[in-house]
Amino acid sequence: MNCGELLERSLAYALGSVVEVGSGSLERGTPCADWDLAELLGHLDDSLDALHEGLTGGRIGLVPREPGSVDLACAFRTRAGAVLGAWAAGPGERVLVGELPLDVRVMAAVGAVEITVHGWDVAQACGRPRPIPGSLAAELLPVARCVVAEEDRGVRFAAPVAVPACARPDARLLAFLGRCDSFPG
């Protein structure tokens, strides 16, 4: 798995979703329980900030920065470009998360899961569903299965949703992360 390419594809997918964010839509509900679209975009911005921090400084702090009052969709686009540039510049091999070392490729793969699935959440909240490309979802599902533990359920992720074994890769990825492949918006 080429983690740089995976990260690029996830950012491209999410950027296509964020383009649908319009003024007045930030209060809309999302598939992420208890988060409106503004909170989801703030979380995505924090995730991209952490990726950028890890790629450029070799360390991710455990305390998120305070969000400013900015256009959240524009901030996402700007930060996505910065993350891509940082990856292209050639990150180190390891990043410290707090004090724990992590392979930078693992960080990128986990970031790709986060960005893709929340990109899907954004599109759903905007009322413009966009399926996750099957090949991207198929590559992200094993990553998600490696990093989402049972103790994460109910805290960071909802319980998995049952889908048939023959379901499309995007439906299986979303179901594993506690989402139905449709959102009532």
Side-chain angles (χ1 to χ4, degrees):
M1 168 187 323
N2 180 333
C3 293
E5 180 186 317
L6 194 62
L7 185 59
E8 286 179 35
R9 290 168 43 217
S10 71
L11 284 165
Y13 171 77
L15 283 164
S17 298
V18 170
V19 106
E20 298 295 336
V21 175
S23 60
S25 64
L26 295 177
E27 297 81 30
R28 295 183 83 169
T30 71
C32 301
D34 302 324
W35 280 2
D36 64 19
L37 188 52
E39 292 164 318
L40 175 60
L41 287 170
H43 172 72
L44 260 173
D45 186 57
D46 184 53
S47 296
L48 287 181
D49 185 52
L51 277 170
H52 189 260
E53 219 178 274
L55 292 170
T56 59
R59 177 182 291 272
I60 298 174
L62 297 179
V63 179
R65 65 175 173 70
E66 288 297 316
S69 59
V70 297
D71 177 332
L72 293 168
C74 182
F76 177 82
R77 289 188 290 273
T78 300
R79 201 169 304 277
V83 167
L84 285 173
W87 185 270
E93 290 184 20
R94 297 229 176 260
V95 60
L96 289 176
V97 180
E99 297 303 318
L100 300 174
L102 180 67
D103 186 297
V104 73
R105 294 168 300 186
V106 172
M107 179 192 74
V110 171
V113 171
E114 171 96 353
I115 292 162
T116 300
V117 173
H118 285 320
W120 181 86
D121 293 333
V122 168
Q124 295 296 317
C126 290
R128 306 276 184 159
R130 296 181 68 232
I132 298 170
S135 61
L136 178 60
E139 289 180 66
L140 293 176
L141 183 56
V143 175
R145 286 185 173 145
C146 284
V147 297
V148 177
E150 197 54 43
E151 55 269 14
D152 292 323
R153 303 294 181 175
V155 179
R156 296 182 332 151
F157 298 95
V161 174
V163 292
C166 62
R168 297 180 327 269
D170 61 325
R172 290 195 320 265
L173 173 65
L174 293 167
F176 179 74
L177 296 173
R179 292 158 172 83
C180 295
D181 65 357
S182 64
F183 172 67

